[in-house]
Amino acid sequence: MGKKSVWSICGMCSVRCPIRVETDGDEVTWIEGNPHLLQGALCAKGSAGMALLKDEERPFQPLIRKGGRGAGRWEKASWETALDYVAGRLDAVIKKNGPESVIVSCRGGPFADLVKAFCHGLGSPNFTNHDSTCGRNVHHASRSVYGLGRKGFVYDIAKCRHLILFGRNILASLRIAEANQVLDMLDAGGKLTYVDVRQTLTGIKADRFFQVRPGTDYALALGMINEVLRQGAYDREFVARYVKDFTALEEFVVPYTADWAAAECGVKPAQIKAFVKDIASERPRVIFHPGWMLSRYKDSFYASRALHILNVLMGNIEVEGGQIFAKGPGDCGRKGIRTLSGQVPKPAARRADGVGWKYTHFDPGPGLFHLFYDAMLTGEPYPPKALVCIRHDPFTCFPDPQAQKEALDTLDLLVSVDTHYSEFGWYSDVILPEATYLERDSIIAVQKGPKPRFIMRRRALEPQHDTKGLYEILRQLGERLGIGRYLPFSSMEDLWAWQLEPTGLSLQDFDEKGFVSLCDRPIMFDRANLDGKFKTPSGKIEIVSGILTEGGLPSLKPYESPEKPSKGRFRLAFGRSPVHAHGHTVNNPLLHELMPENTLWINRRKAARLGVAEGDWVDVLADGAGGTIKAHVTDFIHPEAVYMVHGFGRQVPFQTRAYHAGVADQKLMKGFLRRMDPAGGGLCLCECEVTVRRSPKNPKRRVEL
């Protein structure tokens, strides 16, 4: 077979960085970031792709459940048998309950069009993803201000003069291109302001760090708006031309002074005032990042909306170092690719989660996954009866897995399509093993930006076990279910050629760099003529949102101070490590060596009162749930909060490295499955209170591995 070099896209996390892969026969010998875009840079997760290939603790053939759900009794099956089984069960569900009774979920991202086409091809409107635990608040906040979703703008971080991050731990999250832009910005003399309940990898690079009380992000943003207006530190010309209802904002923020915000958040008023003085001289090249994962508090939608408004006040739209409209093929005078979902009739039924008809202010695209649980338990508007999750683990992603199981037990069929054993997969009826990203092709997609491009993933190796690529799995299911016409291509080469046909491009055009740029230079709209670019009901940037008003919700919501935790209790915060991608990688052989378990960050003064020292085992308890974890005692976390990295505490016996290692934050969130920000749809994942105590238990893990 010899040596070869393949352009592809990483699949170790949801960022999907472009990569170059070298192989020798059936071995991957090298992985690096695409030199044309990332100059070879890659994170630890991406570099561990080779370990994923060698991992013996992942499914190598289809499995069908025997015995009760979650009992761990599996029967190995051929693909023919497993696909016949799934198709037969789905067909029975559809005939009895209608196609709308099927829910299909995925991780989202650039290749989700394939999953959407399959779901809609079945006749179900219930295509969904994980985003109500991630960016829905940000997305809906952006729609309410600009009429554009959260991907409607890209941030020109490298050229900005001041970047402000509210809990966006950008150097650990970890998007390589974005992290490099931050470092380039700092090297060029730019400033960084960071806001969080704890210090982070990003915060230690900051010029200014606001350590705020948990739940007070919105208060700080309001105080900043008030001070910007008081100092006159905003772009009056831009606001006068493009902003609707500016007077309403001026009136609303009158009580939310810098002094008030400082007292509420636990920071110094002089810091806020000095910060605003700084950005007054640096605008318009000032970016308030509106958040990425902002499913935290019951007002996180309004916190994100306030950050969007601060960007508007900076006048940073369509300028270097600011927010730039994401351009697509049409903006370059080019034809776009064909999409599979574009060939499928729109399903007639209403979504079971109520998005788009009951909740008119939410984007009906992927809806809100957690609201399907209500439909399962009540049967309203109709009872869902089958769930297919594709590289999506609701039990790790969403709070209170036990409550989820009670709802899922009303379903006739649970199917997991994944490269590894997920906790949802362990509870499902069928596991269909997907080939790793190094062994599978993906559809061509558009990546929008100032210089839009077409991207694609090519397999570096043929599947080394009895696994299949996603297109092949869904195509063969589709043929069995009578919807093969929507996924008609027997090879990815034929599908790619069909996608590219309107563009005049061929596969050979991807050979040089692994992608195709659609223009040579960044495209910038005329900033003096942005009329028509904002897709709100009024066509303006809306302080008072037409979308929210129609939904019966306030656009400017009065701030409500969060209650302080009672004695001995703490607000539970969680986040990311640069080593792991939530629960996807904790069993990876290499990454497990780097970080085998998580720890509990606790403030030094609070720890002393509890008799807890660095490295002690502590019990973390909440409403009947709990776990034991090592303490990390530090000054760099707010006394009202404790913190852990998400993704640990897994209970899949086949994953021996991750089994019972650390604590799962989502399992402590009893009763939080339906606690969401009503305006944004994001769950309130950082409002759970826990009790911490020095553990009397034997610190050794109870289960022999």
Side-chain angles (χ1 to χ4, degrees), residues 611-623:
V612 171
E614 174 71 19
D616 282 352
W617 291 86
V618 294
D619 294 330
V620 187
L621 308 168
D623 297 326

Side-chain angles (χ1 to χ4, degrees), residues 15 17-18 37-38 174-182 184:
V15 173
C17 291
L37 297 172
L38 299 179
L174 169 70
R175 306 177 82 198
I176 294 296
E178 193 174 54
N180 283 343
Q181 289 171 25
V182 173
D184 290 343

Side-chain angles (χ1 to χ4, degrees), residues 569-618:
R569 292 175 67 81
F570 302 85
R571 187 80 70 94
L572 176 63
F574 68 92
R576 287 282 300 274
S577 160
V579 171
H580 284 301
H582 299 310
H584 299 291
T585 59
V586 291
N587 202 59
N588 181 283
L590 284 179
L591 299 177
H592 172 79
E593 286 186 27
L594 293 174
M595 187 177 182
E597 59 189 1
N598 56 358
T599 60
L600 187 79
W601 287 42
I602 185 169
N603 180 272
R604 188 178 304 278
R605 286 176 294 156
K606 292 287 188 176
R609 293 174 188 171
L610 295 171
V612 171
E614 174 71 19
D616 282 352
W617 291 86
V618 294

Side-chain angles (χ1 to χ4, degrees), residues 164-168 193-199 208-222 224 260-268 271-272 296-297 303 559 562 564-565 571 573 603 635-642:
I164 302 95
L165 303 170
F166 276 60
R168 173 68 175 142
T193 291
Y194 188 71
V195 181
D196 208 333
V197 300
R198 69 181 188 106
Q199 184 57 286
R208 185 180 280 109
F209 172 48
F210 290 104
Q211 186 173 19
V212 297
R213 285 184 59 219
T216 62
D217 292 8
Y218 184 37
L220 183 59
L222 289 174
M224 288 176 173
W260 167 85
E264 179 64 21
C265 300
V267 300
K268 295 179 180 178
Q271 287 183 310
I272 299 176
R296 294 181 182 146
Y297 310 119
Y559 175 77
K564 292 185 178 182
R571 187 80 70 94
N603 180 272
D635 293 319
F636 296 108
I637 187 168
H638 196 280
E640 293 180 20
V642 291

Side-chain angles (χ1 to χ4, degrees), residues 615-622 624-630 651 660 662-663 668 691 693-703:
D616 282 352
W617 291 86
V618 294
D619 294 330
V620 187
L621 308 168
T628 304
I629 187 173
K630 286 182 180 178
Q651 294 175 311
H660 284 282
V663 169
L668 298 169
T691 299
R693 68 186 184 195
R694 193 172 188 278
S695 180
K697 298 177 183 176
N698 184 335
K700 294 181 180 179
R701 284 156 64 184
R702 299 295 185 88
V703 181

Side-chain angles (χ1 to χ4, degrees), residues 132 353 364 384 397 406 486 563 628 639:
S132 56
D353 58 4
C397 186
E406 292 171 8
Y486 299 129
E563 292 185 9
T628 304

Side-chain angles (χ1 to χ4, degrees), residues 28-333:
V28 171
T29 57
W30 181 252
I31 306 174
E32 66 176 359
N34 188 314
H36 302 288
L37 297 172
L38 299 179
Q39 294 75 50
L42 202 60
C43 74
K45 300 185 295 293
S47 300
M50 288 183 279
L52 172 63
L53 277 176
K54 299 293 185 182
D55 187 4
E56 296 295 320
E57 297 184 352
R58 57 186 178 91
F60 289 151
Q61 69 287 307
L63 299 171
I64 299 176
R65 174 177 63 84
K66 297 296 178 183
R69 284 178 175 164
R73 295 172 57 196
W74 298 100
E75 182 177 278
K76 296 178 182 179
S78 68
W79 276 100
E80 197 75 14
T81 299
L83 292 171
D84 284 346
Y85 179 83
V86 172
R89 295 283 297 274
L90 282 174
D91 186 57
V93 164
I94 290 169
K95 285 178 177 176
K96 182 178 180 181
N97 302 282
E100 65 272 16
S101 63
V102 179
I103 303 167
V104 184
S105 182
C106 69
R107 287 292 299 174
F111 308 121
D113 178 65
L114 169 59
V115 181
K116 185 177 181 181
F118 175 76
C119 181
H120 288 183
L122 291 174
S124 173
N126 295 316
F127 164 73
T128 188
N129 63 24
H130 73 292
D131 208 36
S132 56
T133 59
C134 189
R136 279 294 97 176
N137 280 333
V138 180
H139 177 75
H140 287 133
S142 182
R143 285 179 79 237
S144 75
V145 174
Y146 309 112
L148 302 167
R150 69 168 171 158
K151 296 180 181 178
F153 291 102
V154 294
Y155 308 112
D156 190 11
I157 292 172
K159 295 180 181 177
C160 83
R161 292 176 180 160
H162 203 138
L163 175 65
I164 302 95
L165 303 170
F166 276 60
R168 173 68 175 142
N169 189 6
I170 207 165
L171 298 182
S173 291
L174 169 70
R175 306 177 82 198
I176 294 296
E178 193 174 54
N180 283 343
Q181 289 171 25
V182 173
L183 297 177
D184 290 343
M185 181 267 294
L186 293 174
D187 287 343
K191 294 179 182 177
L192 175 62
T193 291
Y194 188 71
V195 181
D196 208 333
V197 300
R198 69 181 188 106
Q199 184 57 286
T200 66
L201 287 174
T202 304
I204 61 176
K205 293 283 189 181
D207 299 88
R208 185 180 280 109
F209 172 48
F210 290 104
Q211 186 173 19
V212 297
R213 285 184 59 219
T216 62
D217 292 8
Y218 184 37
L220 183 59
L222 289 174
M224 288 176 173
I225 292 174
N226 178 294
E227 188 64 19
V228 165
L229 298 182
R230 190 191 70 80
Q231 292 189 24
Y234 63 97
D235 189 330
R236 287 179 169 83
E237 182 180 350
F238 184 86
V239 167
R241 175 152 191 171
Y242 295 117
V243 177
K244 174 179 171 288
D245 295 320
F246 181 65
T247 302
L249 177 68
E250 292 179 299
E251 295 172 352
F252 174 74
V253 298
V254 167
Y256 302 119
T257 64
D259 294 271
W260 167 85
E264 179 64 21
C265 300
V267 300
K268 295 179 180 178
Q271 287 183 310
I272 299 176
K273 294 172 183 178
F275 163 75
V276 171
K277 186 176 180 180
D278 282 352
I279 62 173
S281 63
E282 295 156 342
R283 65 175 178 82
R285 290 165 58 183
V286 175
I287 298 173
F288 286 82
H289 198 297
W292 187 262
M293 189 300 256
L294 213 60
S295 297
R296 294 181 182 146
Y297 310 119
K298 62 184 179 182
D299 61 5
S300 284
F301 166 85
Y302 290 100
S304 183
R305 195 164 197 272
L307 295 173
H308 282 295
I309 289 171
L310 280 161
N311 280 323
V312 172
L313 295 176
M314 295 298 100
N316 71 2
I317 295 173
E318 207 62 2
V319 297
E320 282 194 346
Q323 297 187 105
I324 299 175
F325 283 96
K327 316 303 191 304
D331 298 304
C332 308

